[in-house]
Amino acid sequence: MPPSEGETAPDFETLYCDGETFRAGTLADRLDGGAVLVFSGFAFNAINENWYKQYDRAGWATFDVPVVGVFRDGPYAVNAFLRDIDSPFGAFADVEATAAADYGLLTERPGMAGVRTAQRAVFVLDDDRTIRYSWVGDDWISPVPRDEIEAAVARL
């Protein structure tokens, strides 16, 4: 079960990608007054391209806290995706899906022979990793509640 508002978000260590390089890092390393943690399945797909471009157009890169993605891909694919869409955001390459598992988000992908990835989810965290807002999607395509996420970030 995914963590709820008021709970401490699990820390995890995996490869952090900035669009050019990658290195081992933890969620705690990425907190800068908090963070917006965005879980998705695989990086390269039209849905992610659409949503990440919308986050950029909505001004999420100007938040006082970083926006950090989590993808079930290797670091080369994550960096290629970030470069391809000219993204201002960084992301974790959750190759083994350990972060997704820690957050209770793993779900089987229909038609993908037992492959499991994270459900789409967004967590707004404060500097102590306390979850101040939590959203878990019911499907792969519905929009995230941007107004609610932006309001939660404003309250940090």
Side-chain angles (χ1 to χ4, degrees), residues 22-36:
F22 60 88
R23 62 186 49 85
T26 66
L27 172 60
D29 294 339
R30 296 287 114 205
L31 297 180
D32 184 8
V36 177

Side-chain angles (χ1 to χ4, degrees), residues 45-65:
N45 61 61
I47 295 168
N48 275 341
E49 182 175 338
N50 176 48
W51 294 128
Y52 272 77
K53 286 181 178 181
Q54 284 194 39
Y55 304 154
D56 189 17
R57 284 192 300 267
W60 285 20
T62 64
F63 284 167
D64 289 337
V65 298

Side-chain angles (χ1 to χ4, degrees), residues 6 10 38 66-68 75 83 89 107 113 115 122 124 133:
V38 181
V67 174
V68 181
R83 282 193 309 273
F89 311 115
T107 187
V115 171
V122 178
V124 176
Y133 178 83

Side-chain angles (χ1 to χ4, degrees), residues 9-22:
D11 197 9
F12 57 83
E13 182 175 353
T14 186
L15 298 173
Y16 180 77
C17 306
D18 63 10
E20 295 298 327
T21 64
F22 60 88

Side-chain angles (χ1 to χ4, degrees), residues 62-93:
T62 64
F63 284 167
D64 289 337
V65 298
V67 174
V68 181
V70 182
F71 297 111
R72 176 78 195 269
D73 278 298
Y76 294 104
V78 172
N79 275 335
F81 173 75
L82 296 173
R83 282 193 309 273
D84 188 58
I85 64 168
D86 194 26
S87 178
F89 311 115
F92 285 101

